[in-house]
Amino acid sequence: VNVKPIEYTFEALAQNDCKGVVITGSSMEYSDTDRPHLETDLCTPSTPYGQSKLAETQTALDLAIRLGIPVRVARLFIPFGPLDNPGKLIYHVLGNLGQGKPVDLSPCEQKRDFVYIDRVVDAYELLINDLDRGETDIFNLSSGQATTIRDVVNLVAEGMGASKSLLNFGAHPMRTGEQMVSYGSNHKARTILGWAPGDIKDGISSLIKDFQK
């Protein structure tokens, strides 16, 4: 799904004078490491999903050169916001706390990089405009910070005015083989695109306001 349709799509776009393509990549394309990911890193992803997304990126970049279509790859870290999958962690916590129910969690010590959806939309607009430069380029869409899942969950509870006693950290074990740290440098997006990733606290506050409507 991530790779096979790319060639047909690019060929059709080239025949219709497409001005450029923005590909949604993933932080999972990167190798496991405790340091911030850079767009220039050698990628050896450890998961099948990461491998498929890296193949998508490589295929798109190859087709861009062959067909002369400018391409920007947005390596997206963890977006969150309204209309997200209700099964994902932040929405699961919101739903339970909103009903005064306890939330069974892992120790939540793993660190991740979260970006509010409005800032992601800002970045895509900038990426579309950046296609005018031509050729190809890759940008991390990341906060630039490694935040523990525990801190994120606590911010949600604080924002909702819910008791943190409802948060049962350690009720579930950590998933086997889970990477403990994953975050990206956003220096390139800041300097070339002029993008600002925003603050996770502001994003969570906006999400809670939308959730409570």
Side-chain angles (χ1 to χ4, degrees), residues 90-138:
I90 292 179
Y91 253 93
H92 175 66
V93 173
L94 279 171
N96 278 41
L97 295 183
Q99 299 177 59
K101 295 180 178 179
V103 190
D104 290 342
L105 301 155
S106 77
C108 293
E109 296 298 337
Q110 62 270 50
K111 295 181 179 181
R112 296 293 183 266
D113 193 322
F114 294 86
V115 186
Y116 188 59
I117 190 62
D118 286 5
R119 305 292 74 79
V120 175
V121 172
D122 292 342
Y124 273 78
E125 183 176 1
L126 292 167
L127 287 166
I128 290 168
N129 293 332
D130 192 59
L131 289 166
D132 291 340
R133 286 197 294 122
E135 300 184 347
T136 65
D137 216 338
I138 299 173

Side-chain angles (χ1 to χ4, degrees), residues 6 16 56 64 86 107 118 120 130 173 175 211:
I6 293 286
N16 288 277
E56 176 190 39
D118 286 5
V120 175
D130 192 59
R175 288 181 294 189
F211 180 81

Side-chain angles (χ1 to χ4, degrees), residues 153-185:
V153 170
N154 280 325
L155 285 172
V156 172
E158 291 168 10
M160 296 190 72
S163 172
K164 292 183 182 178
S165 65
L166 294 171
L167 304 175
N168 297 327
F169 293 109
H172 297 301
M174 294 283 291
R175 288 181 294 189
T176 302
E178 182 164 8
Q179 186 179 355
M180 288 303 297
V181 181
S182 177
Y183 71 115
S185 167

Side-chain angles (χ1 to χ4, degrees), residues 2 4 13 23 31 36 50 54 72 88 117 125 169 177 206:
N2 283 329
K4 285 189 175 182
L13 292 172
I23 296 288
S31 309
L54 180 59
R72 297 294 177 270
K88 291 177 70 174
I117 190 62
E125 183 176 1
F169 293 109
S206 295

